[in-house]
Amino acid sequence: MKKYQVAGIGNAIVDVLAQTDDTFLDHMGISKGVMQLIGRDRAETLYAAMDDRTEAPGGSVANTLAGLGNMGLTTAFIGRVRDDALGRFYARSMEAEGTDFVNPPVAEGDLPTSRSMIFVTPDGERSMNTYLGISADLSTEDVPLAVAENAELLFLEGYLFDKDHGKAAFLKAAQACHRGGGRAGVALSDPFCVDRHRDSFRRLVRDEMDYVIGNEHEWEALYQTDLENALAQAASECAMVICTRSGADVVLINRGERVEVPVHRVVPVDATGAGDQFAAGFLYGYATGQSLSVAGKMGCLAAGEVISHFGARPEVDLKAMFRGHGLI
C-alpha cells in the first residue's frame, strides 16, 4: 500500500478575493472577467487596494487535491511558497484540508508567495490578476523522491512546464513515480502554454505519461490539427487520453476503448475550478479502479458541483453525491 493515493505538483497560489464594482475596475485599469499575469509592483498595488479581502489556497492541481481529499483519498502536494504570511497560511490551509504539504516554506530568496487578486463584481464576474512569484521556480530540488516513489498516481500541472527547471522537475517526479510502480499524468492546462512548449509536451506525453487530461483547444494546439485527429494521435502515443469539451460530451480513450460521457448543461454561477474538479472526480474513479465510463461520470458530477457556487473547491460531500447517482 502506497503512502499516497495521489500526489500532485503545481503552482501554490493564494487566492485573495474582494467584492468591488465596475467603477473600481476602470479606475485601477483591471480587465473585467479575464485572468492577467502581473508583476510584483502591480501585485502589491492591487493587494493594498482590496477592501475586506478574504484569502483561500488556490492553484489548479491544489484545487484538484482538495477535491480528492473531500472524497477521502490520501494526498500530497509538492509546491513552493515563501516563508511569509501568505506562504505560512497556504501551507497550514492545505494541511488542514487533509493534504500533506511536503515542502517547507522557503526562507531565502527574493520572491514572495504567489497570489492572485480576484475582484468579484455584482454580476458574478471574476477579474483575476495573478502574480506567479516563487511558485513558478519549482525545480528538481523541490521534488522529494520519498513522495513521488510512494504515490499510486502522480498529477502534474502543465503551467509549471514554462521553465526548464520545471520540465526537469516533472521528469524527475514521473520517473520516480514509475520506479515505485505508480502511474503519472499531466493536465495540459492552457493552449498558450502548449503552443510555447509543443515539442517538449509531445515528448512528455509520449515518453513519460500514463494519462493526460486536456480540453479540446489544448489537444488541438498540441497536435496542430482538428480534435478527432488530435485525439487519435494522442491515443497512439499515450495509454489514456481525456478530453473535456466545454459542456459537450467528455471523451475518454484507454488503450483502444473509447467512451463519451454526456454533460448535464447548467448555467454556471462561477466556472472557476470546473476543470480542476473534473480532474478530481476522474482521478478518484481512476484511483479506486472504476470503469472509464464511471470515472468520467464522476468527473462531470464534480465539475457540475463546483460551478454551482462561488469558489474553486467543492462545498458538498462528493462521495455522497456519487452514491446518490449510483456510481459507488
Side-chain angles (χ1 to χ4, degrees):
M1 186 72 178
K2 297 288 188 184
K3 183 174 182 180
Y4 300 111
Q5 288 166 290
V6 184
I9 300 179
N11 279 307
I13 299 175
V14 178
D15 289 339
V16 186
L17 298 98
Q19 302 281 341
T20 190
D21 56 27
D22 289 344
T23 301
F24 176 86
L25 298 184
D26 290 341
H27 176 69
M28 298 301 293
I30 296 169
S31 298
K32 184 173 180 178
V34 300
M35 193 282 281
Q36 292 184 306
L37 292 177
I38 58 174
R40 183 171 182 172
D41 291 345
R42 174 72 166 163
E44 291 175 354
T45 298
L46 293 181
Y47 185 78
M50 301 179 89
D51 292 327
D52 298 321
R53 55 183 175 249
T54 60
E55 295 166 352
S60 178
V61 161
N63 290 336
T64 296
L65 292 174
L68 290 164
N70 173 287
M71 293 176 255
L73 298 195
T74 53
T75 57
F77 180 72
I78 298 169
R80 284 173 67 85
V81 296
R82 181 72 186 273
D83 189 8
D84 55 20
L86 285 179
R88 291 188 291 272
F89 162 78
Y90 193 97
R92 286 196 308 270
S93 298
M94 292 293 287
E95 294 279 353
E97 291 183 350
T99 293
D100 285 357
F101 190 83
V102 301
N103 302 91
V106 178
E108 306 83 18
D110 276 344
L111 296 175
T113 295
S114 309
R115 75 284 308 268
S116 182
M117 275 63 64
I118 303 172
F119 297 91
V120 185
T121 44
D123 58 3
E125 285 277 9
R126 285 180 161 217
S127 306
M128 305 172 71
N129 300 263
T130 301
Y131 170 59
L132 289 178
I134 196 172
S135 70
D137 279 348
L138 184 130
S139 71
T140 54
E141 295 178 3
D142 300 302
V143 178
L145 291 179
V147 174
E149 290 176 349
N150 280 285
E152 293 177 15
L153 295 179
L154 177 71
F155 189 44
L156 308 171
E157 182 177 316
Y159 288 120
L160 278 173
F161 214 56
D162 246 348
K163 295 186 178 181
D164 287 342
H165 44 65
K167 294 182 178 73
F170 278 16
L171 188 62
K172 175 183 176 180
Q175 291 175 347
C177 178
H178 288 144
R179 277 199 306 275
R183 293 163 290 177
V186 65
L188 295 177
S189 293
D190 186 283
F192 299 108
C193 188
V194 170
D195 283 336
R196 287 193 295 273
H197 306 283
R198 183 174 292 106
D199 291 343
S200 296
F201 264 118
R202 288 282 304 273
R203 283 194 297 272
L204 184 75
V205 169
R206 183 184 66 236
D207 298 338
E208 303 293 343
M209 296 294 99
D210 300 292
Y211 64 95
V212 182
I213 301 174
N215 65 34
E216 56 191 319
H217 306 298
E218 292 155 3
W219 284 116
E220 289 171 345
L222 185 61
Y223 292 99
Q224 295 181 287
T225 185
D226 64 90
L227 182 60
E228 281 304 316
N229 281 314
L231 293 180
Q233 199 162 343
S236 73
E237 297 182 349
C238 182
M240 185 177 293
V241 171
I242 302 98
C243 177
T244 60
R245 298 192 291 171
S246 301
D249 293 0
V250 174
V251 179
L252 304 98
I253 306 170
N254 183 25
R255 302 185 189 280
E257 177 192 4
R258 174 173 172 146
V259 300
E260 296 191 16
V261 176
V263 172
H264 176 61
R265 284 182 172 270
V266 297
V267 177
V269 173
D270 176 9
T272 308
D276 304 338
Q277 294 312 318
F278 172 84
F282 168 77
L283 289 175
Y284 176 81
Y286 189 29
T288 56
Q290 303 294 333
S291 70
L292 201 59
S293 176
V294 167
K297 290 174 182 176
M298 288 175 165
C300 292
L301 285 172
E305 189 281 332
V306 82
I307 67 173
S308 71
H309 57 76
F310 285 107
R313 299 190 172 188
E315 292 185 349
V316 304
D317 183 334
L318 294 176
K319 279 183 72 175
M321 186 168 68
F322 296 162
R323 201 171 289 116
H325 284 78
L327 298 179
I328 55 176

